[in-house]
Amino acid sequence: MDDERYTGIALRHAQSTLAEEVRQALTASKKRLPCKYFYDPEGNALFEQISELPEYYLTRTETAILKRDAASIIGHCPLDLALVELGSGSSTKIRYLIDSCLARQQELTYYAVDISPAGLENGTRQLLHDYPRLCVVGVAAEFEDGLGYLATDASSPRLVAFLGSTIGNFAEDEIAGFFTMLRRHLRPIDRLLLGVDLIKDPAVLEAAYDDAQGVTAQFNLNILVRLNRELSANFDPATFRHRAVWNHERSRIEMHLVSLRDQCVRIADLDLDVDLRQGETIHTENCHKYSRSGMEWLLTRHGFQVLGRFTDPQDQFCLFLTS
Ligand SMILES: C[S@@+](CC[C@H](N)C(=O)[O-])C[C@H]1O[C@@H](n2cnc3c(N)ncnc32)[C@H](O)[C@@H]1O
């Protein structure tokens, strides 16, 4: 990007592990694919469409909370703050936090960390145009590597925003690792803002991940198209069906791709043949839902102190501010 207020950093690890992770995931006894690989340029564009669907209450609810409470959230943070966003996507919601920061400080640096380099550039270009007092550092990296990179730049206090209920993608064992990693990287002067989708009527949840227009289905199937392109696979997306189902025991929506027939898929770059029976699924994403007390317990257990909870009037979504 040709702007002196933009610094682009691409870290070695971002996306470089695709081949090995796909091999492991598709040769496991229960086939799966890591959801971080949804986000190629087509996946980013589809996620933006999902964000605007009537069924997908998550984005508009979290946005409304930020719009209402950004000033109060920033008011709980030290002065001369820098903003960090993990999984920044289109960098839309962060605008409310940027507005509140710039209302009380002259300049601001926003570190956007995302696995998708294309998404980063698109998301931050308009921000630079709209905010002349903003500098942006776009870090194309996985969450941990991105935070590790930021540790080398240890000046201002930071508010680390992890929005969009992306925390819900972690399984029970992964969330402990993620919080431990975050705790290691956050200093006492830093703050964490975590967007969490709350448990609700399973019908509402299932509709959010299986919309009437079929955009989420396209988003799910697009991962196969990506593997065709990037690993010379021969998946025929028409032979798979999107399924989103509420798993009550594990308190999560699961997204799967169901094979509509017995088939053998060749992944040439991995020299791998994947056999699928009719009805067998590839598990592509988990979206865990929490009670407020459940998430608060997890945060506290991992050494975070909850400074504020910000919820919508229907209690659908909660933003936790912690130190
Ligand atoms: C569910 S979207 C949320 C986007 C945005 N934060 C929002 O609230 O609308 C998840 C974002 O995290 C990024 N992402 C997913 N897994 C990642 C990983 N392991 N490391 C870095 N970024 C990741 C994706 O590229 C995507 O932009």
Side-chain angles (χ1 to χ4, degrees), residues 36 39 47 85 87 89 93 114-116 141-143 163-164 166:
K36 64 185 173 188
Y39 298 94
F47 183 74
E85 187 174 9
K93 296 170 196 160
D114 203 290
I115 196 170
S116 162
E142 296 221 20
F143 302 129
L163 306 176
T166 306

Side-chain angles (χ1 to χ4, degrees), residues 254-285:
E254 294 181 1
M255 292 210 319
H256 294 260
L257 291 166
V258 186
S259 177
L260 296 176
R261 60 175 199 218
D262 291 348
Q263 56 180 311
C264 176
V265 177
R266 174 89 186 139
I267 307 183
D269 289 2
L270 302 183
D271 192 18
L272 180 69
D273 292 312
V274 181
D275 289 314
L276 287 137
R277 284 169 286 104
Q278 181 178 357
E280 187 176 353
T281 78
I282 302 174
H283 186 167
T284 49
E285 190 175 54

Side-chain angles (χ1 to χ4, degrees), residues 64-173:
I65 298 171
L66 282 168
K67 191 172 177 186
R68 189 194 62 199
D69 292 328
S72 165
I73 290 167
I74 295 300
H76 279 83
C77 298
L79 293 170
D80 292 322
L81 200 61
L83 290 178
V84 177
E85 187 174 9
L86 300 178
S88 49
S90 62
S91 294
T92 306
K93 296 170 196 160
I94 202 75
R95 284 170 175 263
Y96 297 103
L97 298 172
I98 293 176
D99 287 334
S100 295
C101 284
L102 286 175
R104 65 173 205 175
Q105 66 193 62
Q106 259 317 99
E107 292 172 344
L108 175 67
T109 302
Y110 165 51
Y111 298 87
V113 178
D114 203 290
I115 196 170
S116 162
L120 267 180
E121 281 225 22
N122 293 338
T124 52
R125 186 173 294 122
Q126 192 61 33
L127 281 183
L128 287 167
H129 177 265
D130 295 346
Y131 295 97
R133 292 187 282 135
L134 183 72
C135 289
V136 175
V137 183
V139 186
E142 296 221 20
F143 302 129
E144 179 159 12
D145 298 325
L147 278 172
Y149 166 78
L150 296 187
T152 60
D153 177 5
S155 48
S156 313
R158 299 181 196 121
L159 172 62
V160 177
F162 193 37
L163 306 176
S165 184
T166 306
I167 188 76
N169 294 150
F170 293 120
E172 294 86 338
D173 52 337

Side-chain angles (χ1 to χ4, degrees), residues 14-52:
Q15 311 220 359
S16 64
T17 49
L18 173 86
E20 212 27 60
E21 287 189 276
V22 167
R23 176 194 297 285
Q24 275 183 24
L26 288 181
T27 53
S29 57
K30 287 193 175 167
K31 296 183 178 61
R32 54 189 174 77
L33 283 169
C35 64
K36 64 185 173 188
Y37 294 122
F38 280 140
Y39 298 94
D40 66 353
E42 181 64 16
N44 289 329
L46 287 165
F47 183 74
E48 288 315 300
Q49 284 183 45
I50 290 172
S51 299
E52 306 208 335

